[in-house]
Amino acid sequence: MNVDVDGDTLILGIETSCDETAAALVMGGSDIVSTVVSSQVELHASFGGVVPEIASRAHLELLNPVIARAMVEAGVRDDRIDAVACTIGPGLVGALLVGVSAAKALALAWDVPFVGVNHLEAHLYAAMLEDPSVELPVVVLLASGGHTLLVEMREPGRYRLLGQTIDDAAGEAFDKVARFLGLGYPGGPAVEQVAHEGDPAAIAFPRAMRNEGLDVSFSGLKTAVLNHVRDHPDVDTADVAASFQAAVVDVLVVKARRAAAEVDAKGLALGGGVAANSALREAVLDACMADGLRAYLPSRSMCTDNAAMIAAAGWHRLRLDGPSPLDTGAYPNLRLTSTEPT
Amino acid sequence: MCAGERTGHNVLILGIETATQQVSVAIGGHEGVLGLFEVARGRRHAETLIPAIEFVCRQADITLDELGLVAVDVGPGLFTGMRVGLAAAKALGQALRVPMIGISSLDLLAFPHRRSDRVVVPVIDARKGEVFYAMYRQVPGGLQQVAAPRVGPVEELVADLLARSQDVLCTGVGAHRYREQIIDGFHCEIADTAFPSAGPLVQLAHARALREEWVSPADICPVYLRAPDARINWATRARAGTGGGAHRA
Ligand SMILES: [Zn+2]
């Protein structure tokens, strides 16, 4: 299947890797025509995390109406769609399979290319989607419930992994601490809200590996929070939340600045759900100001999982590699691999 | 749902069946089954299904836009595999703007034995020592369900068979797996059929299509018969790279 990929190429993106069922239409890799996200967060809240089987069932139920809504909102007919892009990993296998199966069936029915997209790569495009004037290279800090990565993007499709977490993801640390403090789920917004009332300097939590390298570690911080609360039963929860958040933000920003300096980046971009955290956004803005970098802070809805970023990544992948085969499956452990030697 | 001229007597039906370890795709209509692809081992459902649909269409010399209806096995069966077929079928129904018919995997297993004098009991392995099963008997013109689909331990199935005290024909991959227990507990015949197939799916769907018993893709619902396992596996989740995540994403 031969396709010209240009500014008019309209791609339907589909995302079902975790607990958001999403569809979007994006033209030319950067022009969002419509984007629809149906969150399952309430289905999972009482369990304190995402329950895979519940997520898979919900995706199957929600996907058709979500796609239909994205088409109606865009006001386009089926025959205007040039390709179907879908997350093939990483993620929950049962959840991924719903999107992949539907996306390939749509591509077959419409006789257009199917493009399998790495969810992590898609997060890298979120900042560029809203600010097409982005000057490369940039360092992207991708922080979510499952990942914490520092990536250098030299040009679309060309990137290099600079550093990552060696244990818990940043978002996972938020979730676990929120659970321990009884703040509910999801942990990020819950901690952030309580932290507003607290003193970020109240407790000096450890900042592991702060002064060397580009990898991060949050496991020790999580344990320190648990121990501190056990040893000081009367401690103010708001102070704990604020001090914990300050430690996470400090480490992430220190590493991102170091990465930007090492690769001589022109800017620093955020991606992933943790990038919706206000303290992190402010700290990144301050750091960019101080270092003479441009800051790319996607809107909160572009930080969390959405299908516009999948369609955008699909446009770049289709342009660079062409269509994916129809026997593509789901790859729950898919990684972000550098496209050039590190 | 628009059901134009493509849904008349000559309607062409695509059947998709992925409720057990088999992937099965068929095309058929009033002439019966025109094309059938089946594979019971090998690559996983998601990898196999769409190429199988392409293959059957090409070999039967039928293009997707000639289809008037999409039929799908709605379970019960293995959840992940089942959803691959359901997601693809619903997407095809939506994209091709054709109506759909959902049929139970247990109906499909019973169908080849519609002329048996025995009580036909399709059994599908539900893992964890349990089986999905239902009971049917011959009536003029086909089969009638005499016990509704349920899920339970094999011992319960055997007790149900005993309670019936009739000649029984068990069929399906569950009957094969628990052959010994079923035969020891209750003397019955076990049929060779192991998997529900898209062949009977297309045949049964054609009969229903003539009665206009179709629905829109949005109204096709899976039959799980079992509540979701609500455990959160933090380790798997972290490795899989997803998660509730702080701000999930
Ligand atoms: Zn994500």
Side-chain angles (χ1 to χ4, degrees):
Chain A
M1 206 175 297
N2 249 328
V3 263
D4 290 328
V5 183
D6 58 27
D8 285 334
T9 306
L10 184 66
I11 297 193
L12 169 65
I14 292 174
E15 155 64 36
T16 65
S17 67
C18 190
D19 62 346
E20 323 277 5
T21 312
L25 283 157
V26 174
M27 198 163 70
S30 61
D31 183 6
I32 302 173
V33 186
S34 68
T35 174
V36 177
V37 179
S38 174
S39 176
Q40 305 171 10
V41 64
E42 281 163 27
L43 287 178
H44 302 283
S46 64
F47 302 101
V50 179
V51 180
E53 177 60 22
I54 291 176
S56 302
R57 290 185 183 194
H59 284 306
L60 182 63
E61 203 178 309
L62 295 167
L63 187 54
N64 291 56
V66 163
I67 292 170
R69 228 180 91 202
M71 307 274 291
V72 168
E73 282 183 15
V76 300
R77 286 159 41 119
D78 299 2
D79 57 11
R80 176 64 187 82
I81 291 169
D82 297 306
V84 181
C86 178
T87 303
I88 56 169
L92 301 166
V93 67
L96 289 164
L97 283 170
V98 171
V100 171
S101 302
K104 292 196 298 180
L106 291 174
L108 183 72
W110 291 331
D111 195 24
V112 297
F114 164 75
V115 194
V117 168
N118 181 326
H119 179 92
L120 300 173
E121 186 180 356
H123 269 303
L124 303 182
Y125 290 109
M128 300 169 70
L129 255 173
E130 290 180 314
D131 191 348
S133 74
V134 60
E135 272 183 84
L136 298 170
V138 293
V139 163
V140 186
L141 167 61
L142 170 50
S144 70
H147 296 275
T148 304
L149 307 173
L150 275 166
V151 180
E152 176 196 13
M153 195 185 286
R154 286 179 182 279
E155 55 189 68
R158 251 181 98 200
Y159 44 77
R160 194 154 62 108
L161 184 60
L162 302 171
Q164 58 189 318
T165 181
I166 59 165
D167 39 57
D168 290 355
E172 196 181 352
F174 270 98
D175 266 357
K176 288 179 176 172
V177 165
R179 201 138 103 138
F180 180 69
L181 296 177
L183 299 177
Y185 170 87
V191 169
E192 183 177 344
Q193 200 189 344
V194 175
H196 268 299
E197 318 294 323
D199 174 8
I203 308 154
F205 284 128
R207 280 129 165 95
M209 299 159 57
R210 184 181 190 275
N211 297 321
E212 81 264 9
L214 296 174
D215 286 340
V216 295
S217 161
F218 292 114
S219 167
L221 170 60
K222 174 193 66 191
T223 311
V225 172
L226 266 52
N227 289 340
H228 187 90
V229 174
R230 276 195 190 119
D231 297 345
H232 308 82
D234 299 328
V235 70
D236 181 10
T237 300
D239 284 346
V240 176
S243 302
F244 160 75
Q245 179 177 271
V248 173
V249 168
D250 178 41
V251 168
L252 290 176
V253 172
V254 163
K255 301 281 177 171
R257 290 173 90 162
R258 184 175 300 142
E262 276 187 19
V263 303
D264 211 7
K266 294 203 169 72
L268 195 55
L270 287 182
V274 180
N277 181 286
S278 302
L280 178 62
R281 295 168 80 92
E282 278 164 33
V284 166
L285 267 181
D286 290 347
C288 285
M289 199 88 84
D291 296 354
L293 295 166
R294 265 188 75 179
Y296 301 95
L297 305 181
S299 64
R300 284 173 169 77
S301 63
M302 264 317 125
C303 293
T304 49
D305 287 350
N306 64 86
M309 68 181 194
I310 306 300
W315 184 87
H316 290 290
R317 278 288 135 224
L318 189 60
R319 191 172 55 84
L320 296 166
D321 307 332
S324 308
L326 286 179
D327 66 354
T328 302
Y331 308 91
N333 302 314
L334 194 63
R335 302 167 81 94
L336 189 75
T337 44
S338 297
T339 52
E340 50 199 270
T342 41
Chain B
M1 193 75 229
C2 77
E5 69 282 357
R6 282 187 289 172
T7 41
H9 179 68
N10 290 328
V11 61
L12 271 179
I13 299 170
L14 174 71
I16 294 175
E17 195 296 303
T18 60
T20 62
Q21 53 266 59
Q22 176 165 280
V23 170
S24 178
V25 176
I27 286 185
H30 78 287
E31 298 167 80
V33 177
L34 303 171
L36 174 69
F37 172 94
E38 251 165 21
V39 56
R41 57 172 293 177
R43 302 185 68 195
R44 299 166 59 153
H45 292 16
E47 284 87 336
T48 310
L49 179 62
I50 301 296
I53 296 170
E54 253 191 321
F55 177 79
V56 172
C57 286
R58 197 167 54 236
Q59 299 306 318
D61 196 22
I62 287 164
T63 57
L64 284 173
D65 53 17
E66 292 175 66
L67 295 175
L69 199 139
V70 176
V72 64
D73 182 341
V74 293
L78 299 176
F79 299 157
T80 302
M82 230 168 94
R83 275 190 292 262
V84 166
L86 279 158
K90 280 158 71 94
L92 282 171
Q94 186 173 9
L96 299 171
R97 299 179 188 281
V98 296
M100 293 186 66
I101 291 177
I103 295 182
S104 153
S105 54
L106 298 167
D107 285 7
L108 300 182
L109 273 175
F111 180 78
H113 306 290
R114 61 195 176 281
R115 289 185 242 290
S116 170
D117 302 333
R118 293 166 172 257
V119 173
V120 179
V121 183
V123 186
I124 291 176
D125 187 6
R127 300 210 172 129
K128 306 175 185 173
E130 296 195 325
V131 285
F132 300 112
Y133 62 98
M135 300 192 190
Y136 302 76
R137 74 184 160 102
Q138 194 194 109
V139 290
L143 283 169
Q144 186 184 46
Q145 200 173 77
V146 291
R150 55 173 304 170
V151 62
V154 186
E155 296 74 30
E156 247 175 70
L157 163 66
V158 173
D160 272 4
L161 296 175
L162 274 168
R164 225 154 237 288
S165 71
Q166 283 166 297
D167 285 341
V168 166
L169 176 70
C170 284
T171 178
V173 65
H176 288 222
R177 171 158 183 190
Y178 296 108
R179 172 185 289 271
E180 250 105 85
Q181 269 159 280
I182 293 170
I183 291 184
D184 284 352
F186 179 84
H187 186 74
C188 76
E189 224 179 278
I190 305 241
D192 289 337
T193 336
F195 305 111
S197 164
L201 172 61
V202 163
Q203 289 172 274
L204 278 168
H206 186 254
R208 290 193 196 178
L210 294 179
R211 299 195 296 270
E212 304 195 358
E213 290 175 1
W214 54 64
V215 298
S216 79
D219 293 326
I220 288 288
C221 293
V223 177
Y224 291 114
L225 293 184
R226 191 191 257 161
D229 185 349
R231 267 175 319 171
I232 298 161
N233 187 334
W234 290 84
T236 311
R237 215 182 59 157
R239 188 162 40 77
T242 48
H247 306 71
R248 307 153 341 277

